[in-house]
Amino acid sequence: NLLPQLTSLGFVRETFDAIVTGTVKAVQDAHNSLATGSLEFGTTDILQGNINRSPSAYLANPAAERAKYAHDQDKTMTVIKFKGASGQADRGLLSFFPVHGTSLYENNTLVSTDNKGMAAYLYENFVEPTSAPGKNKFVAGFVQANVGDTSPNTLGAFCESPGKPYDGQPCEFYQSTCGNVTQECHGRGPGFQVSDFESNYLIGSYQFEGAKNIMTSSSLTSVAGSVRSVHVYINMSNYTFTLPNGTTARTCKPAMGYGFAGGTTDGPGAFDFKQGTTSGNPFWDLVKGAVTPVPSQEQKDCHAPKPILLNTGEATFPYDWQPSIVNIQMFRVGQMVILLVPGEFTTMAGRRIRDAIKAKLVEKKVIGSDGVVLLAGPSNTYAHYITTREEYGVQRYEGGSTIYGPATLEAFTDIYSNLVGYLADSSTTTPSPGTAPPDLTQNPLSLRTGVVLDNVPLGSSFGKVLTQPSASYAKGKQVSVRFQGASPRNNLRLQDTFLTIERQNGSSWTVYRTDSHPSTKFNWKRTNGVLGYSEVTITWDIESDAPSGTYRVVYNGDYKNGWTGRISSFVGQSSTFTIA
């Protein structure tokens, strides 16, 4: 859909194709490596791994309900262990823990998998320390749970307002502002005094350690029973259903509120928008009509108390701005049921739907009272956020981004409840699949131009080293090498690498690090857009356990000829340096 693509100037075909190619290859690799095994699961608490970034909205939930929980976000990690057959190595793990992948700040321009990817790297490297990332046999999956209002910036949100009296003070509690503006309120991760990359490492390491504690435990629970699944498409733009109290409710066509534009403490919004806004603004009420269609009174009433900023459900040019049809899916593996949800459920919203679906599963005798219900999302469709009705009334970022109105959580609970019976051993039928959403990838909007040409200044060449490394380094220091470069969009190098750190072994060289290692960074910069000049800077933060020896930095690039359009590869190679 269009709205999430706006910041990238529309649909990015290269990214889409890379995701599809990688996903298909992962499925093929999994199928080709099928082997006998078994499943176990366990849990542990990770107290320092997340905080609630919208605590004022959480407090709107009933006190009696909040009293059932020790924290205003879920602290429990659940891990499913994929065991090999007797005498064989473990195959992998699937971990469920709610924390946003926003450890790296919004001004980061490097491709990164954030703290979840860091956790996966740390675990896979722990199991297979000599394998390069992505080349390992053991697969560690760290997925989201009810992540909606969680943050990895666990020190809290503070004002970054140099010269102002509130600089360094906690942000205002209800709207996360500093001096009545949002832009200066920023969350701080546990490594704030070092860098956001340090925070990313720490949050990833907490999840890694939690998973390791579960995986090495001798008291895990075996998973046994049937494997079943159910999937349907549901149009959420006007889903009508009956609430538990007998009254009728319905969802709305998608719309975004003013609170959405206020951003979060992980990434503040712009202009004068604020979280917690429950009324419109005369200026923006006028301007918004030029962006999306003016909402009808029915649409306004349906979304109340959300003041509509973007009437996305009625914006269809050049195609739908947000989804009306969503994927609904559940997996059952023995006594475990996984809800694959099409959005980001807040902490309490996730708790409510998990409890409701488990009660229905037990009632229908699909699982026993010792069964486990897990939530994984966003999955299949991105329908933004799902809050409780009470949190929705506060209209923080998450409430402003709950696109189907105040009854969204109850609607999803009703939908999943109606599908529970299809997971029973006795079920011999399948539900009507529903109407699939339109394929919007055939003629998408894209304002991003392709690579026109790559060129080099007179006397230079592609891959030429512009800044050589020093002759020697101590462990813990950073190596930096600058090359004459070309656009990395010419070749995404899937299953390959833009860089290698190579170690000399006699007369040959061995790859020690690639661009998939957290210790390396690949920075590309266009230095002259008209003439097509660019530079690449490769850095390596030398690990404390790096072997002493002689090394070099190698850059693998591809340039586009502006006359013929031909793309050709090249290699740049630094001088050698030693690590002692």
Side-chain angles (χ1 to χ4, degrees):
N1 295 99
L2 183 65
L3 186 63
Q5 300 171 359
L6 292 179
T7 56
S8 59
L9 298 180
F11 184 78
V12 182
R13 175 65 65 179
E14 302 101 313
T15 300
F16 176 81
D17 288 345
I19 292 172
V20 171
T21 300
T23 302
V24 171
K25 185 179 187 306
V27 172
Q28 292 172 333
D29 289 349
H31 181 77
N32 293 335
S33 62
L34 281 172
T36 302
S38 60
L39 302 180
E40 295 179 343
F41 74 92
T43 64
T44 193
D45 287 343
I46 304 177
L47 299 181
Q48 72 275 48
N50 60 12
I51 64 168
N52 194 308
R53 69 185 186 188
S54 289
S56 60
Y58 180 88
L59 289 174
N61 294 305
E65 182 180 33
R66 289 185 280 112
K68 295 191 298 183
Y69 306 98
H71 304 282
D72 61 0
Q73 71 285 146
D74 283 351
K75 297 291 189 180
T76 300
M77 169 183 278
T78 300
V79 170
I80 302 175
K81 180 178 184 178
F82 292 74
K83 293 186 63 178
S86 179
Q88 301 297 313
D90 292 336
R91 306 296 301 279
L93 68 86
L94 196 59
S95 156
F96 300 80
F97 181 75
V99 59
H100 260 106
T102 50
S103 288
L104 298 181
Y105 293 151
E106 58 184 344
N107 62 353
N108 170 59
T109 60
L110 300 178
V111 176
S112 169
T113 51
D114 214 86
N115 60 68
K116 293 290 183 179
M118 177 61 74
Y121 163 76
L122 291 173
Y123 203 102
E124 291 171 356
N125 186 65
F126 164 70
V127 176
E128 299 177 46
T130 60
S131 297
K135 306 298 182 182
N136 41 285
K137 295 181 180 179
F138 185 95
V139 178
F142 287 80
V143 303
Q144 292 293 12
N146 46 332
V147 65
D149 52 1
T150 67
S151 172
N153 294 309
T154 52
L155 297 184
F158 293 84
C159 295
E160 297 182 4
S161 313
K164 299 176 182 177
Y166 42 82
D167 181 39
Q169 298 299 309
C171 303
E172 187 272 334
F173 182 72
Y174 293 98
Q175 293 189 306
S176 298
T177 58
C178 299
N180 206 36
V181 297
T182 61
Q183 289 85 349
E184 297 173 5
C185 176
H186 294 270
R188 295 178 178 178
F192 167 74
Q193 293 186 325
V194 178
S195 70
D196 53 339
F197 287 96
E198 177 69 10
S199 293
N200 187 58
Y201 169 78
L202 291 172
I203 295 296
S205 68
Y206 301 153
Q207 294 173 78
F208 157 62
E209 292 292 345
K212 185 170 68 171
N213 289 340
I214 296 171
M215 290 287 285
T216 56
S217 171
S218 59
S219 58
L220 299 183
T221 302
S222 295
V223 178
S226 300
V227 177
R228 301 181 70 92
S229 66
V230 60
H231 174 275
V232 295
Y233 293 107
I234 296 290
N235 191 323
M236 290 293 292
S237 64
N238 188 13
Y239 180 78
T240 302
F241 62 103
T242 302
L243 293 168
N245 63 9
T247 61
T248 299
R250 72 175 182 90
T251 55
C252 319
K253 293 180 182 179
M256 303 292 272
Y258 277 72
F260 145 77
T264 73
T265 54
D266 293 338
F271 303 109
D272 57 350
F273 295 112
K274 301 180 183 67
Q275 296 191 75
T277 299
T278 54
S279 60
N281 173 292
F283 173 75
W284 291 112
D285 284 345
L286 179 65
V287 171
K288 69 184 183 184
V291 181
T292 59
V294 176
S296 65
Q297 190 59 48
E298 179 186 9
Q299 176 79 327
K300 292 179 182 178
D301 292 343
C302 189
H303 279 275
K306 176 204 293 177
I308 296 175
L309 176 64
L310 297 176
N311 188 23
T312 51
E314 296 177 340
T316 58
F317 179 81
Y319 43 87
D320 292 348
W321 282 43
Q322 287 186 310
S324 292
I325 299 173
V326 302
N327 289 260
I328 302 293
Q329 191 169 23
M330 285 193 289
F331 290 156
R332 176 191 165 202
V333 185
Q335 74 273 40
M336 302 191 75
V337 173
I338 303 172
L339 311 182
L340 287 92
V341 295
E344 303 186 54
F345 280 63
T346 61
T347 298
M348 195 64 86
R351 290 167 176 170
R352 288 187 189 177
I353 195 169
R354 282 199 313 250
D355 290 348
I357 301 307
K358 180 175 181 180
K360 184 66 70 171
L361 287 161
V362 173
E363 176 192 329
K364 297 287 186 179
K365 296 182 170 47
V366 178
I367 61 174
S369 58
D370 61 342
V372 176
V373 175
L374 299 171
L375 185 148
S379 304
N380 299 321
T381 307
Y382 187 59
H384 296 258
Y385 285 74
I386 299 92
T387 65
T388 67
R389 190 178 287 266
E390 295 87 349
E391 293 166 346
Y392 184 90
V394 177
Q395 284 294 296
R396 292 269 300 184
Y397 174 83
E398 295 79 17
S401 303
T402 297
I403 65 176
Y404 302 119
T408 300
L409 173 60
E410 292 97 333
F412 277 123
T413 302
D414 182 75
I415 293 166
Y416 281 92
S417 295
N418 293 338
L419 296 172
V420 159
Y422 295 103
L423 298 179
D425 291 342
S426 59
S427 177
T428 58
T429 61
T430 58
S432 171
T435 302
D439 183 357
L440 302 178
T441 65
Q442 300 306 307
N443 190 29
L445 173 71
S446 181
L447 301 178
R448 183 177 293 277
T449 60
V451 179
V452 177
L453 83 161
D454 293 292
N455 210 340
V456 296
L458 187 65
S460 190
S461 60
F462 290 108
K464 179 181 179 179
V465 180
L466 303 178
T467 302
Q468 292 281 7
S470 300
S472 63
Y473 295 89
K475 297 176 184 180
K477 298 298 183 179
Q478 184 182 85
V479 179
S480 180
V481 182
R482 186 167 58 96
F483 296 89
Q484 193 75 61
S487 174
R489 294 178 64 197
N490 292 321
N491 181 352
L492 299 187
R493 295 191 167 268
L494 303 180
Q495 300 292 300
D496 200 352
T497 179
F498 287 103
L499 68 92
T500 54
I501 307 297
E502 299 180 357
R503 181 169 178 260
Q504 189 171 26
N505 288 306
S507 59
S508 63
W509 293 86
T510 302
V511 173
Y512 181 66
R513 291 291 183 260
T514 68
D515 61 14
S516 294
H517 287 87
S519 59
T520 63
K521 293 184 180 67
F522 176 89
N523 288 272
W524 173 80
K525 181 180 180 181
R526 181 70 80 184
T527 56
N528 189 313
V530 175
L531 298 179
Y533 302 164
S534 61
E535 295 177 0
V536 163
T537 301
I538 294 173
T539 62
W540 173 36
D541 295 314
I542 305 170
E543 294 90 346
S544 60
D545 60 350
S548 299
T550 301
Y551 291 80
R552 67 184 183 188
V553 176
V554 176
Y555 162 38
N556 302 305
D558 301 85
Y559 71 90
K560 183 175 183 179
N561 186 301
W563 295 102
T564 67
R566 180 182 177 183
I567 294 175
S568 304
S569 61
F570 63 88
V571 175
Q573 179 179 300
S574 77
S575 59
T576 62
F577 56 93
T578 59
I579 295 177

